[in-house]
Amino acid sequence: MDERTVALLFKLAAPYLTVRFNREHTEIALAFARELQEKLGGDRGIIFPAVILHDVGWSAVPEELHLKAFGPGSDPGINRVHEVEGVKIAAKILQELSLEAAVREEILRIVGSHDSGWQPLTLEEKIVKDADKLFRFSPRGFAIDVARFNVDAGEYWHYLNGMKEKWFFTLAGKEMAARELEKIAQGGKGYK
Ligand SMILES: [Fe+2]
C-alpha cells in the first residue's frame, strides 16, 4: 500500500476518529504497525488499512459508555459494539478504494475481531493487535491512559509491565513494549 493511499484512508477515517483520542491513538498504532511490518513482513495492503480503520466504530458508541468499555473493570459487551459498528463504517470507507474482494474481506475481518479475538489467524492480524496494544506502552499513550483511567502512574506502569508477557502475539511486539516501558521509566519518577 502506497503512502498516498495511507493518507487518503486517514482522511476518510478522520470524521470517525474524533472521540477518545482516537486520531492520536491510530497514528501511534500505525507507527508501531510499520515497525512490526518492517521486522516481520506481512501484507502492508491489509495491515495498514486494518490499523487505520480498526477503531472507527467508537464513533457509533455513546460517549458516556466509552470508559466502561475498556481499561480496568471494563465491560466486554460495549467493547464488542465498537467492533461490529466498526466493520459497517470500514466497509463504507473501503468502497472508495478499488480493492480485491478477498483483501477487503480480510481487512474487515480484522477490524471485527481486533479486540475480542484471542486467536489471530494470520501474521497481519497479529501485527494489528500488537500495534494497537503497543499504544498503551508508548509514553504518550501511557500519559493519556493514566489521566483517563485516573490511576496511579507507578502502579499502572507495573500493571503494564506484567501484561506485556500476556498481551502480545509476536516476540517483536513484546520486545517493543519493553523498550517503550523503559522510555517511560526513564522519563518518569522512578516507576521501576
Ligand atoms: Fe485501538
Side-chain angles (χ1 to χ4, degrees), residues 144-165:
I144 288 172
D145 283 349
V146 164
R148 67 178 158 184
F149 300 145
N150 194 23
V151 288
D152 176 79
E155 280 174 28
Y156 192 59
W157 190 94
H158 283 281
Y159 166 73
L160 289 176
N161 196 36
M163 294 318 264
K164 83 174 188 303
E165 304 301 321

Side-chain angles (χ1 to χ4, degrees), residues 20 22 25-26 29 51 54-55 58 82 114-115 128 131-133 135-136:
R20 51 157 285 195
N22 264 338
H25 164 66
T26 303
V51 171
H54 81 279
D55 269 344
W58 282 116
H82 100 280
H114 73 268
D115 256 347
V128 173
D132 187 21
K133 286 280 190 323
F135 167 79
R136 303 177 189 180

